[in-house]
Amino acid sequence: MSGDVWFTILPDGESGVAAARLLRHWATETISHHSGRPWLLGSWPDGHVTVGAAGARRVAVIGRCPVTVEALSARAGRLRDIGDVEQIGHGLTGSFHLLASVDGSVRARGSASGVRRLFHARVAGVSVAADRADRLAAVTKAATDEQLLAAHLLASPLPYPLDDRCVWQGVHAVPSFDCLLIAADGQVRTQPWWTPPEPDRAWQEGVPAVRSALAAAVDACTAGGGTVSADLSGGLDSTSLCFLAAREQEGTRPAGAKLVTLHWQSLDPDNDDAAWAVRAAARLPASEHVTPAPDQWPLWYSNLADLTGDAVPTDEPGPWVRDGARMAALSRLMRGRGSRLHLMGGGGDELFSTFPPHLHDYVRRHPLAAWSRIRTHRASQHWPLVQLLRQLADRRTFGQWLTAWAEGLTAPQLPSPAMVRGAPSTAWGVDLRMPPWATRDAAEAVRDLLREAAPTAEPLAPERGQHTALACVRTGGHGLRQLDQVMSRRGLRLAAPYLDDKVLEAALAIRVAERSTPGRYKPVLAEAVRGIVPDDVLRRNTKGEYSTDFHVSLHHNRAGLVELFDGSRLARAGLIDDAALRASLLGVHPTPEALRSLSSSLGGEIWLRARAAAACPPSTVINEGAP
């Protein structure tokens, strides 16, 4: 099935019937409450929605989950009230929304990573939820929130704690860790459904749980049979998924799906991804391996004009536009070989690497071990001691750090530690800067958002290392969600098994400092897949670097980028200085970091242009408060 995949959730009351009338203009599918009133309206392919029923109780799983109707109905039979949903959902694997309708009440939630999200808005005087914000925006004629558009210039997807905000006025995002409760009269409230695990397991104790969860996550991808495809970059993350998906073909478990792998080659001859991908492919003889020729695989930033037509694939701006032409090529190559689902390694770095903020926690918990690790890093990366000590001595709370970040939004961007001999930040997050082409009004709008959040925002975990991992997981989840919206329109769904809830829970339960060890690359993941991935493939301890591809792509497509920002809609909205952006594009940029914000700004520009060109929604619209 090609086209947008989406659903809306309606309350089990007469008010929900009126809202349903407005949504039927777009819907091709309907599922009812036990009462006969519409519960779910939307458009989705066969097998995407599974509903279990037991008397008046209904449970729905929407997304990638191998549960059957019979098994889900049995679970629904154990549902006493709406508060039991997580208990009866225990053991379900994959990535999905979980919904229930019981005695006039509705409960719905997405996934912890944000790959599956929910939004709600008032439609015909009643609250309606959806997995896409633009469906609610269309039916309510919502305008875009220019303050949030400005924030997308800072980073897109939005960083925590702004990532639970919606770019449409009057449309509200449900926080990723919360579920939504909808009463029969259409009133809504949220409550937590997920709490991050305490990172208190030794890595040796945590490996079996990671192995089990990751295998089940990949099995949820291959359970439907047919053909699935997967990236095979040569890195450990994607390589591990390929070997897990190929177990059926290699005879280590019952037959599942055929595997097709994709490896695209870097333009940098010193990038060793290709050599490791060839080695891995040789150990997967039953799989089909595709390596596109250069003329089959576009450069970044190619064919941008194709993305500004009347089809808007995502419900918010995003940096995916840099890869738009590549995603079209991916879809063509993999669908041409029969693939129904494409696996990506997103989330592996977030779960199985450690970020510098963990040193701030480690030096307080285990000072001797921490200093031993710091000495190793200083010897190899030449971190200045005084600068590092200053970082480690920082005692700011999360709110204080947010305030300081807000004040420094327009300060000069610090050079990357990779480019100069500087110590990495061990703060609560990265002090991102507004791009140099952002207007003063745009910077003030984002500064106000951060100042507003600072007094009440809580970190995602008490310590900086776990908080940073969770924040990066959410960013990755929101990014994958957008990529999936783009690809599902083309008929090829995406999956990132590392971002499945069960994998998150297993990996995040391991002590932060033990997820990475000096001298060993991703030891937790390597041990979790040992015996599935051959030892000679697991020996890799390097990671591919793509700055050459960035430079070549920018040089080749520079004229198209400059042209795209002529008559910029971001400039019309007062958010960027288009002359400053063009000057930056035409300048000399020594590193990709120098144009870190280009993809975010490009995403906002193309999103606004495509929205303006999109067809108007049906004219029969009832807004909040209408009779």
Side-chain angles (χ1 to χ4, degrees):
M1 171 185 171
S2 298
D4 289 340
V5 176
W6 60 278
F7 65 87
T8 53
I9 309 169
L10 298 158
D12 190 7
E14 289 302 323
S15 56
V17 176
R21 295 193 189 101
L22 307 178
L23 293 161
R24 290 188 191 278
H25 292 280
W26 294 277
T28 60
E29 306 288 340
T30 303
I31 294 173
S32 298
H33 294 282
H34 174 71
S35 64
R37 301 183 186 100
W39 179 24
L40 305 176
L41 290 176
S43 182
W44 54 78
D46 291 343
H48 188 64
V49 179
T50 303
V51 178
R57 292 157 289 183
R58 300 284 186 273
V59 177
V61 169
I62 304 177
R64 174 171 50 82
C65 180
V67 69
T68 64
V69 171
E70 293 76 19
L72 197 57
S73 295
R75 289 173 181 264
R78 302 196 300 269
L79 190 63
R80 295 169 299 177
D81 58 50
I82 205 72
D84 292 338
V85 175
E86 291 305 321
Q87 294 179 27
I88 65 105
H90 181 73
L92 294 176
T93 60
S95 175
F96 51 85
H97 290 87
L98 181 60
L99 287 64
S101 172
V102 181
D103 298 329
S105 297
V106 174
R107 183 186 188 274
R109 55 91 163 168
S111 61
S113 67
V115 172
R116 312 286 175 175
R117 298 186 72 187
L118 284 174
F119 304 85
H120 64 94
R122 302 287 289 183
V123 179
V126 64
S127 289
V128 173
D131 69 325
R132 287 187 62 122
D134 55 353
R135 291 298 168 180
L136 297 175
V139 78
T140 60
K141 289 188 175 178
T144 54
D145 185 329
E146 291 191 357
Q147 191 176 25
L148 266 294
L149 279 177
H152 277 276
L153 299 178
L154 176 68
S156 190
L158 294 175
Y160 182 80
L162 304 181
D163 57 348
D164 282 329
R165 303 286 293 269
C166 181
V167 76
W168 296 101
Q169 295 180 20
V171 180
H172 309 282
V174 178
S176 297
F177 298 172
D178 286 1
C179 66
L180 187 70
L181 298 170
I182 311 176
D185 63 1
Q187 299 301 309
V188 298
R189 61 187 177 92
T190 61
Q191 66 181 30
W193 77 270
W194 192 80
T195 302
E198 287 295 324
D200 53 11
R201 283 187 181 177
W203 73 269
Q204 298 93 332
E205 298 172 1
V207 161
V210 171
R211 182 186 181 95
S212 176
L214 190 54
V218 174
D219 288 348
C221 298
T222 60
T227 299
V228 300
S229 52
D231 289 341
L232 180 57
S233 69
L236 182 58
D237 301 335
S238 65
T239 299
S240 297
L241 296 181
C242 289
F243 278 93
L244 284 162
R247 286 174 297 157
E248 298 91 344
Q249 297 181 148
E250 305 303 326
T252 59
R253 62 189 309 277
K258 174 190 174 182
L259 176 67
V260 178
T261 73
L262 174 76
H263 171 76
W264 63 270
Q265 300 185 71
S266 170
L267 300 174
D268 184 354
D270 294 327
N271 188 324
D272 61 349
D273 270 356
W276 287 96
V278 168
R279 177 179 296 194
R283 304 300 295 270
L284 294 168
S287 301
E288 180 181 357
H289 303 289
V290 178
T291 301
D295 61 347
Q296 290 182 298
W297 198 249
L299 298 172
W300 285 323
Y301 306 118
S302 295
N303 304 334
L304 294 174
D306 294 346
L307 304 177
T308 59
D310 61 358
V312 187
T314 62
D315 59 353
E316 62 183 355
W320 65 269
V321 295
R322 182 195 72 174
D323 301 287
R326 290 188 169 190
M327 294 170 73
L330 168 65
S331 175
R332 183 181 66 254
L333 289 169
M334 296 299 98
R335 287 195 69 198
R337 289 164 173 80
S339 178
R340 60 176 174 80
L341 181 72
H342 188 79
L343 280 64
M344 308 180 77
D349 288 340
E350 292 85 336
L351 295 181
F352 301 113
S353 303
T354 52
F355 300 91
H358 91 278
L359 294 173
H360 189 275
D361 314 319
Y362 199 31
V363 79
R364 286 161 174 77
R365 282 181 172 267
H366 303 286
L368 294 179
W371 282 112
S372 175
R373 176 170 294 193
I374 288 170
R375 280 197 300 272
T376 301
H377 284 308
R378 287 194 65 230
S380 62
Q381 301 179 46
H382 309 289
W383 293 347
L385 180 59
V386 173
Q387 186 182 7
L388 179 62
L389 291 175
R390 188 180 302 118
Q391 293 276 5
L392 294 173
D394 175 32
R395 293 183 177 274
R396 289 177 297 177
T397 65
F398 181 66
Q400 290 169 338
W401 171 75
L402 277 180
T403 299
W405 179 18
E407 299 309 314
L409 273 180
T410 54
Q413 179 67 56
L414 297 174
S416 166
M419 304 307 299
V420 298
R421 293 185 176 182
S425 171
T426 62
W428 286 100
V430 179
D431 295 332
L432 299 172
R433 303 290 194 262
M434 294 295 287
W437 51 82
T439 63
R440 180 178 299 179
D441 287 345
E444 283 302 316
V446 180
R447 186 173 285 120
D448 287 345
L449 284 172
L450 292 173
R451 285 171 175 164
E452 177 186 335
T456 57
E458 296 289 339
L460 296 169
E463 294 189 334
R464 298 182 182 189
Q466 184 81 327
H467 164 82
T468 303
L470 284 161
C472 290
V473 160
R474 288 162 62 110
T475 298
H478 291 179
L480 177 74
R481 174 178 176 271
Q482 289 198 346
L483 292 177
D484 187 44
Q485 289 179 350
V486 175
M487 294 300 285
S488 65
R489 176 182 278 267
R490 298 179 178 274
L492 181 65
R493 302 306 303 267
L494 296 184
Y498 293 113
L499 294 174
D500 287 7
D501 290 337
K502 299 303 180 186
V503 180
L504 294 186
E505 290 167 359
L508 292 172
I510 295 173
R511 295 169 188 157
V512 178
E514 296 183 21
R515 295 173 198 166
S516 179
T517 304
R520 290 196 65 189
Y521 185 65
K522 297 184 179 178
V524 172
L525 178 58
E527 292 305 315
V529 297
R530 190 171 298 282
I532 298 172
V533 179
D535 286 347
D536 64 316
V537 177
L538 289 176
R539 292 195 188 104
R540 185 179 186 185
N541 58 7
T542 60
K543 186 174 178 65
E545 199 272 334
Y546 289 88
S547 59
T548 296
D549 298 78
F550 171 85
H551 283 295
V552 172
S553 297
L554 182 62
H555 175 76
H556 187 270
N557 292 301
R558 194 189 304 259
L561 285 164
V562 171
E563 182 180 355
L564 183 73
F565 283 97
D566 283 342
S568 165
R569 290 189 175 271
L570 286 172
R572 289 187 206 174
L575 299 177
I576 69 166
D577 179 341
D578 50 355
L581 192 150
R582 285 194 295 272
S584 189
L585 282 171
L586 294 171
V588 177
H589 305 289
T591 68
E593 287 85 354
L595 272 178
R596 176 193 58 78
S597 296
L598 174 60
S599 292
S600 295
S601 299
L602 184 62
E605 180 66 31
I606 287 178
W607 189 79
L608 284 176
R609 286 174 179 259
R611 285 287 162 192
C616 295
S619 58
T620 306
V621 175
I622 300 178
N623 288 312
E624 161 67 29

